[in-house]
Amino acid sequence: MTFTPKREDYLEEYLYLIKIREAEKRQKTPYHVLIKELRRDVHESGEYETGEDIRQKDNYYFSYIDELEKFIEELGYSFDNIKHRSEIDAP
C-alpha cells in the first residue's frame, strides 16, 4: 500500500514537499522501530508519557524484514516477543 500526497491538499508548497519526502522514506524503509527510554516513575505509574517524560528516543528504519529481524535479535528479542500497540493498550 502506498500513499502519494496530492498538491491540492496542502495550502503551502513546503508542507506538500515535506509530505512527499515522508512518503518516499516510507516506501524505501517501510519497517520502523521506535525505542523510548522513560523516567522510572512514569513507567511505574502506568500513565501515558508526555514529551518531558522521555529520557531518550531512538528511531530506526529498515528496508527489508530480514534487516529488522537481525536488529531485533541483536537487542535480545525475537518476533515472538513483539506485540501490536493495541495489545499493550498504547495510545
Side-chain angles (χ1 to χ4, degrees):
M1 179 178 192
T2 60
F3 166 73
T4 304
K6 296 178 183 169
R7 175 61 185 101
E8 61 268 15
D9 293 338
Y10 300 92
L11 296 175
E12 304 288 338
E13 178 74 14
Y14 76 94
L15 294 173
Y16 170 67
L17 294 175
I18 288 170
K19 292 298 179 184
I20 288 288
R21 283 194 296 273
E22 289 173 355
E24 289 171 348
K25 183 175 185 174
R26 277 192 303 276
Q27 284 181 319
K28 292 177 183 174
T29 55
Y31 302 100
H32 176 214
V33 174
L34 171 62
I35 299 175
K36 291 182 185 179
E37 180 181 324
L38 302 176
R39 290 192 345 252
R40 179 176 294 280
D41 62 310
V42 173
H43 174 69
E44 291 175 349
S45 74
E47 296 183 19
Y48 293 123
E49 74 272 5
T50 64
E52 296 174 0
D53 301 328
I54 300 169
R55 295 178 67 206
Q56 185 172 345
K57 180 177 170 182
D58 298 314
N59 287 281
Y60 301 91
Y61 297 89
F62 303 92
S63 298
Y64 302 101
I65 193 114
D66 295 341
E67 295 173 331
L68 172 60
E69 186 173 22
K70 181 180 178 195
F71 177 78
I72 296 292
E73 288 173 354
E74 288 173 357
L75 292 175
Y77 298 99
S78 73
F79 280 142
D80 296 336
N81 301 111
I82 306 297
K83 291 184 168 81
H84 190 271
R85 63 186 307 130
S86 64
E87 294 179 270
I88 59 171
D89 194 30

